[in-house]
Amino acid sequence: MSEDELYPLLKAYEGRSASASGIGKDLVNEPMIRHWCEVMGDRNPAYEGPDVIAPPTMLQAWTMGGLSGHTGRTGAHDELFALLDGAGFAAVVATDCEQEYRLPLRPGHRITFDSVIETVSPRKTTRLGAGYFVTTRMDIRADGELAGTHRFRILKYAPAAGMRPAPRRPRPVVNRDNAGFWEGVAQHRLLIQRCASCAKLRFPWLPGCGACGSPDWDTVEAEGEGTVYSYVVMHHPPFPAFAGSEGGREGAGPYAVGLVELAEGVRMVGNVIGVPYDKVRIGTPVRLEFFRADEDLELPVFRALAEGAG
Amino acid sequence: MSTNGTATRGPRAGDELPPLTVPITRTLIVAGAIASRDYQDVHHDAELAREKGSPDIFMNILTTNGLVGRYITDHFGPGAVLRRVAIRLGAPNHPGDTMTLTGTVTEVDGDTAVVRVVGANGLGHHVTGTVTVALPGEAVA
Ligand SMILES: [Zn+2]
């Protein structure tokens, strides 16, 4: 990657118009001024009363596209950003803002603006990730008169997610009552407790038998066959530590957690893998697998068996 | 107003402005983004901010700009007229942090002063910049 093939393509946009005849979506108005001053804690009397002016630092706010997006942006601006997005530099953060104020803005002023792409930097490595600094200069007019200039620098970057350690799943709480279960998992054996007195199987592990009260037990190894007895799909919040049970996938999209009834008759909770989360159904046949989440954690999970098997 | 002790005088190079401490709340960050019509997700959605490599939402540059402007006019008074504000962002303002703005007058020319402003948070310098402010009617230093 020493050769930056993208840069010459980006640099070609220097000097090109980024927005032409943009029009502020709102006339300069007192409510927006007041909301701004509330946020800033700014009690300057110049920003209220009959002779109100807008805080000069609001300059850019009058040009913002808001939720409905920008108007007046040129093809050059959109192409430059599409190039960067397409190359993976999709995230944006503002780094510099230089504003000069020539005329005060007052309620009723109609805002128009034109901007030009001044410079695109070579690729830089930053704390957030590698990217390019794009500097634009905007002239802002109030009722047609130049009221201020606004030079703005942003970093378009590829988030350096790999620089942060991957989040780890929470650890299971292993205690005297369930240690045998986790010892089994370590040997890729799913152990079910069996009452030594009445032979009733129980899961999860407990110190005593729910049927007869006996504290004595031994274990039976599950064959590993089961069916989905019930399930939930986790959509929100996406919790990176719970990224796909098969590992490797970025972020934790929706995933299915099943209550699986084992062939032996007990039920246990585990991720259902090998099938899209929205294809899991009650009755889906599954087979036990062991999933290594990290070097210290292995978990039993359930792989959905091919359609038609059930 | 630039009142120092008993005598009112215009600003002089080297004058230090009293600091302004701004608690960086989640509310301030989101309210600042909305008041500036900036709906970039990194200023209101922590999960999407994390996907973009940030540990949490962070203040947008327009809010920082507004706070810097307020800091200057709070000090010099309603007669002060902002002529130029140039800021550079460094360490982001995340919820739970505190930013302390400090300023030093670096130049005075006639009724115009240039103030160097630094906003420091727990991570470092959130903002560094210069503000040029006209002070009509101020005694010339
Ligand atoms: Zn029993």
Side-chain angles (χ1 to χ4, degrees):
Chain A
M1 291 297 145
S2 56
E3 192 68 19
D4 183 356
E5 291 172 358
L6 188 60
Y7 182 57
L9 302 176
L10 302 174
K11 194 167 171 59
Y13 287 90
E14 289 184 351
R16 296 188 61 183
S17 169
S19 63
S21 310
I23 298 171
K25 295 203 167 180
D26 298 284
L27 301 181
V28 175
N29 65 87
E30 286 188 72
M32 284 174 65
I33 292 171
R34 194 179 69 252
H35 299 166
W36 174 279
C37 290
E38 282 180 8
V39 170
M40 303 305 159
D42 198 331
R43 295 183 187 81
N44 189 338
Y47 306 149
E48 59 187 27
D51 207 25
V52 55
I53 64 166
T57 53
M58 266 188 94
L59 186 66
Q60 186 187 1
W62 305 111
T63 71
M64 295 292 279
L67 276 177
S68 50
H70 284 274
T71 53
R73 276 189 172 163
T74 61
H77 175 278
D78 292 346
E79 284 168 29
L80 173 61
F81 276 63
L83 264 177
L84 286 162
D85 289 341
F89 304 97
V92 62
V93 65
T95 61
D96 295 80
C97 174
E98 298 170 24
Q99 298 181 334
E100 287 182 46
Y101 314 111
R102 303 201 176 190
L103 295 174
L105 298 181
R106 298 180 188 279
H109 271 150
R110 181 170 181 273
I111 298 298
T112 52
F113 50 94
D114 296 278
S115 67
V116 63
I117 300 162
E118 277 197 335
T119 57
V120 183
S121 79
R123 188 182 301 181
K124 305 279 187 186
T125 303
T126 76
R127 176 180 47 80
L128 288 168
Y132 298 86
F133 290 92
V134 178
T135 306
T136 52
R137 194 194 69 243
M138 180 182 280
D139 288 335
I140 294 157
R141 292 183 167 74
D143 290 348
E145 260 197 282
L146 185 64
T149 59
H150 167 63
R151 180 177 282 114
F152 202 57
R153 187 168 300 120
I154 59 159
L155 172 67
K156 279 285 281 176
Y157 68 100
M163 287 166 64
R164 287 171 301 139
R168 280 156 57 98
R169 289 184 178 232
R171 307 290 102 174
V173 177
V174 180
N175 56 34
R176 198 174 54 179
D177 294 330
N178 67 8
F181 171 76
W182 290 105
E183 286 161 16
V185 169
Q187 299 160 31
H188 287 192
R189 299 171 72 215
L190 184 65
L191 299 178
I192 303 166
Q193 269 180 316
R194 177 172 58 191
C195 176
S197 169
C198 75
K200 185 166 175 63
L201 299 178
R202 64 176 186 261
F203 195 92
W205 283 39
L206 291 167
C209 175
C212 75
S214 167
D216 300 322
W217 52 271
D218 61 5
T219 60
V220 173
E221 183 179 351
E223 293 285 335
E225 306 300 334
T227 56
V228 174
Y229 181 82
S230 183
Y231 64 97
V232 294
V233 175
M234 286 295 298
H235 287 268
H236 192 84
F239 188 14
F242 285 88
S245 290
E246 289 157 297
R249 202 152 52 83
E250 256 309 302
Y255 58 92
V257 179
L259 177 62
V260 169
E261 184 160 284
L262 297 173
E264 290 77 11
V266 298
R267 296 173 194 151
M268 71 171 284
V269 172
N271 286 41
V272 180
I273 64 166
V275 64
Y277 67 87
D278 56 354
K279 295 289 187 269
V280 175
R281 292 290 179 271
I282 289 171
T284 298
V286 296
R287 170 147 195 91
L288 173 70
E289 271 185 23
F290 290 89
F291 164 64
R292 178 163 286 286
D294 54 54
E295 65 276 14
D296 300 322
L297 180 63
E298 214 165 2
L299 297 167
V301 297
F302 295 95
R303 179 172 294 277
L305 300 179
E307 292 290 317
Chain B
M1 308 280 176
S2 58
T3 304
N4 288 326
T6 52
T8 300
R9 62 162 175 81
R12 290 178 191 156
D15 284 358
E16 290 189 4
L17 279 59
L20 173 67
T21 298
V22 182
I24 309 301
T25 62
R26 199 168 289 277
T27 303
L28 174 63
I29 293 168
V30 174
I34 302 308
S36 55
R37 308 229 343 111
D38 182 350
Y39 294 90
Q40 292 278 343
D41 51 33
V42 291
H43 306 310
H44 64 261
D45 189 322
E47 287 152 18
L48 295 178
R50 280 192 283 273
E51 282 182 16
K52 291 175 179 166
S54 177
D56 203 337
I57 63 167
F58 55 91
M59 181 177 283
N60 73 344
I61 195 167
L62 290 88
T63 303
T64 302
N65 209 40
L67 291 170
V68 167
R70 172 203 156 185
Y71 178 55
I72 296 300
T73 52
D74 270 6
H75 179 69
F76 291 105
V81 179
L82 296 176
R83 295 292 189 209
R84 180 172 185 272
V85 175
I87 61 170
R88 166 163 293 183
L89 296 192
N93 268 344
H94 291 299
D97 209 337
T98 300
M99 176 173 70
T100 302
L101 289 162
T102 53
T104 307
V105 177
T106 57
E107 277 177 59
V108 178
D109 181 10
D111 69 352
T112 300
V114 177
V115 183
R116 172 95 182 139
V117 176
V118 175
N121 64 21
L123 300 173
H125 284 177
H126 166 66
V127 59
T128 53
T130 56
V131 178
T132 305
V133 58
L135 308 164
E138 278 285 358
V140 175

